[in-house]
Amino acid sequence: MSRTAGRRVAIVGATGAVGEELLLVLAARAFPVSQLSLLASERSAGQQLRFRGELVPVQALADDSFRGVELALFSAGAAVARQWAPRAVAAGAVVVDNSSAFRQQDDVPLVVPEVNAAALRGHRGLIANPNCSTIILVLALAPLHAAAGLAAVVVATYQAASGAGRQALLELRRGAAAALAGEPFTPAALPHALGFNLFPRVDVFGPDGYTREEDKLQHESRKILGVEALAVEATCVRVPVERCHSEAVAVALQRPLLPAAARALFARSPGLVVQDDPEHSIYPQPLLQAGRDAVAVGRIRHSRVFDPGLAFWLVGDQLRKGAALNAVQIAELV
Amino acid sequence: MSRTAGRRVAIVGATGAVGEELLLVLAARAFPVSQLSLLASERSAGQQLRFRGELVPVQALADDSFRGVELALFSAGAAVARQWAPRAVAAGAVVVDNSSAFRQQDDVPLVVPEVNAAALRGHRGLIANPNCSTIILVLALAPLHAAAGLAAVVVATYQAASGAGRQALLELRRGAAAALAGEPFTPAALPHALGFNLFPRVDVFGPDGYTREEDKLQHESRKILGVEALAVEATCVRVPVERCHSEAVAVALQRPLLPAAARALFARSPGLVVQDDPEHSIYPQPLLQAGRDAVAVGRIRHSRVFDPGLAFWLVGDQLRKGAALNAVQIAELV
């Protein structure tokens, strides 16, 4: 498709869960798109996806895919990004990559616009979108760090099936239906049955017993917040939720911050919305936050372990702010 | 029913999720029962429940319900326990109460047999069964405390629907079916829809923003472990799982303890089973632990925040070891 004004945009991994969300977010934010290339693997080529009411064909990634492209939004995993993102940059495109391939490279900004937009200055055509759980977490950590200095973070996650992709989401639904019907079910997209189950594994394990997802929460938070040695202890868990990651967080602070002050701080922090009125059963929940841009924070209270410190609860749509929205916000800035 | 040898036993709250589990556990452990009274509210009276293949009628609680009863297992909530447990004790029965009514009373032992069986000495006829989440947690904390001294605990829970009772379990199934069918669903037993959702609320909120469930994890752990000022920071979350509570735990220790040493320690601790081989996708999961006596521990690793400290992951069947089994184990000891 083409329009008279705007950018020539390519989406790599267009048929995935994040790719689909990118199309919705670009349209919802009226991002100026003059030409749109939807790119995917050979397997998905030939499909058509709807963008602003028009059907756009999906093409297989090829050597000339990025000719004339000004902005390439990648959401196709690290292997595809490593192979194709440098070619897109060489062809003159700015790449925003949603994979982990380049996030820890010193010359690649890792950006959550509400937190560290300044890191985009002097980029070399390649910008990394952080891990979804990290984006949700740092939106809350950043204002706390500015106000009271972060000393340490303990986080347990409750991560939705769609964080593992569209097939995992469909598998959750099929598995839950099978469980309700008392029928056997063999998972394929996920390592274990997820219907009415959960498991403490997101991504692969490293030699120290932590998963890469748990590593990312520490490494990426450090880079985005600019706190080199910040200790982030994470347990990442896949739960039978379709959409939205939740996080139970306890933070040690360098200076005291009352829960009421943190609540006020969060309320004026961009990208966050406070839902914290437990007496009236108001606290963030995945079902309520799905499809929303903001990350919700609630259950804000004194920590019982860290003094000074706080505990709180986050829920964010990991396909939206955790991936597609954040990438488009980056694109809007560059 | 009556048999020639054994104890005269009453179960109060026999028709509930824990009551049903008590019948299974008494039978499975061949607990010597010479006479069994199944007691419940007026509403449930007249039902019949199966015990060792025989149908036993459910009777409404009445003034003479405890005449001749030697052991009364209560699982009927705090209000019923406050009203009826003292009468059962006055009638000569030993009461093991599964509610929170008496747990913090100084003259009431709060017992997890593998941890503090000695607390049963000198009991006055009333023994409290701890909260289900606490039982699961202290089974792992106790050996760590003995070996390396606990300094602080941060825990996030993933609590099954059946922890809120049989109606909540049925409601999870109905709600999930409605969600799969795209139909609306209004929760009644639970405060929010739980199918493909979760919420950071188990029990009611106190003025400091913590729920009573979160308070229990701190207060009951202190009493059972005998560590007066132990800081336990908890976030308790209801998840769309039918059975088994999971817990992500980080502990600060007073003395270093390597993960391998903790693994060996857990492996020889009664009530625990180690499932910790992530490379082969082995870690505790609710679906795999349902109906089992042991609490499973895995993901044992260095803490990244507490030094010395550890992180690990627990899953236990909260109806079994978290309630019925623990109560019967107590009964076996007294």
Side-chain angles (χ1 to χ4, degrees), chain B residues 30 50 56 94 101 109 131 178 254 274 301 311:
Chain B
R50 199 168 287 278
V56 184
V94 169
N131 173 261
Q254 291 165 8
V274 174
R301 58 208 197 274

Side-chain angles (χ1 to χ4, degrees), chain A residues 39 60-66 84 87:
Chain A
L39 303 168
L61 260 172
D63 284 335
D64 63 350
S65 290
F66 300 102
W84 293 96
R87 300 189 198 188

Side-chain angles (χ1 to χ4, degrees), chain B residues 193-256:
Chain B
L194 187 58
F196 304 104
N197 194 28
L198 51 82
F199 44 85
R201 167 179 165 184
V202 178
D203 211 332
V204 301
F205 283 93
D208 62 354
Y210 283 87
T211 60
R212 277 202 201 146
E213 184 85 357
E214 292 159 356
D215 290 344
K216 288 172 200 166
L217 277 160
Q218 175 159 282
H219 297 146
E220 298 182 16
S221 295
R222 288 175 174 177
K223 182 168 175 174
I224 297 164
L225 297 170
V227 187
E228 188 112 347
L230 182 66
V232 180
E233 158 84 46
T235 302
C236 289
V237 181
R238 186 74 67 193
V239 297
V241 163
E242 296 191 286
R243 194 169 167 142
C244 288
H245 290 352
S246 305
E247 305 185 9
V249 189
V251 295
L253 299 172
Q254 291 165 8
R255 299 177 294 281

Side-chain angles (χ1 to χ4, degrees), chain B residues 46-138:
Chain B
Q47 291 184 35
Q48 294 196 311
L49 298 177
R50 199 168 287 278
F51 178 63
R52 294 181 180 154
E54 293 178 36
L55 284 171
V56 184
V58 177
Q59 298 168 292
L61 260 173
D63 285 336
D64 63 351
S65 290
F66 299 102
R67 193 177 299 159
V69 167
E70 294 167 286
L71 171 68
L73 301 169
F74 275 65
S75 64
V80 170
R82 276 193 205 94
Q83 187 181 351
W84 293 96
R87 299 189 199 189
V89 173
V94 169
V95 170
V96 182
D97 176 35
N98 197 43
S99 84
S100 62
F102 307 105
R103 288 179 190 151
Q104 292 305 315
Q105 266 185 224
D106 283 339
D107 59 349
V108 175
L110 182 69
V111 176
V112 178
E114 294 87 343
V115 176
N116 66 334
L120 289 169
R121 278 197 298 264
H123 74 80
R124 302 180 186 184
L126 181 53
I127 299 147
N129 207 38
N131 173 261
C132 47
S133 304
T134 308
I135 293 175
I136 292 165
L137 181 63
V138 295

Side-chain angles (χ1 to χ4, degrees), chain B residues 139-166:
Chain B
L139 277 176
L141 295 186
L144 293 179
H145 184 57
L150 278 176
V153 180
V154 178
V155 54
T157 73
Y158 304 66
Q159 298 187 224
S162 55
R166 186 195 303 283

Side-chain angles (χ1 to χ4, degrees), chain A residues 157-158 192 197 200-201 205 208-210 214-215 231 233-235 281 283 285-287 299 301-304 311, chain B residues 157-158 192 197 200-201 205 208-210 214-215 231 233-235 281 283 285-287 299 301-304 311:
Chain A
T157 73
Y158 304 66
H192 308 281
N197 194 29
R201 169 178 164 183
F205 283 94
D208 61 354
Y210 283 87
E214 292 160 355
D215 290 344
E233 157 85 45
T235 303
S281 301
Y283 26 73
Q285 298 176 48
L287 268 193
R299 299 288 326 269
R301 58 208 197 274
H302 278 294
S303 170
R304 287 174 169 172
Chain B
T157 73
Y158 304 66
H192 310 280
N197 194 28
R201 167 179 165 184
F205 283 93
D208 62 354
Y210 283 87
E214 292 159 356
D215 290 344
E233 158 84 46
T235 302
S281 302
Y283 25 73
Q285 299 177 47
L287 268 193
R299 299 287 329 267
R301 58 208 197 274
H302 278 293
S303 170
R304 286 175 169 171

Side-chain angles (χ1 to χ4, degrees), chain A residues 5 21 23 25 28-29 49 67 80 88 117 123 126 146 149 157 168 184 191 203 222 241 248-249 301 322:
Chain A
E21 197 70 20
L23 291 173
V25 170
R29 295 175 74 89
L49 299 176
R67 193 176 299 159
V80 171
H123 73 80
L126 181 53
T157 73
D203 210 332
R222 289 174 173 178
V241 162
V249 189
R301 58 208 197 274

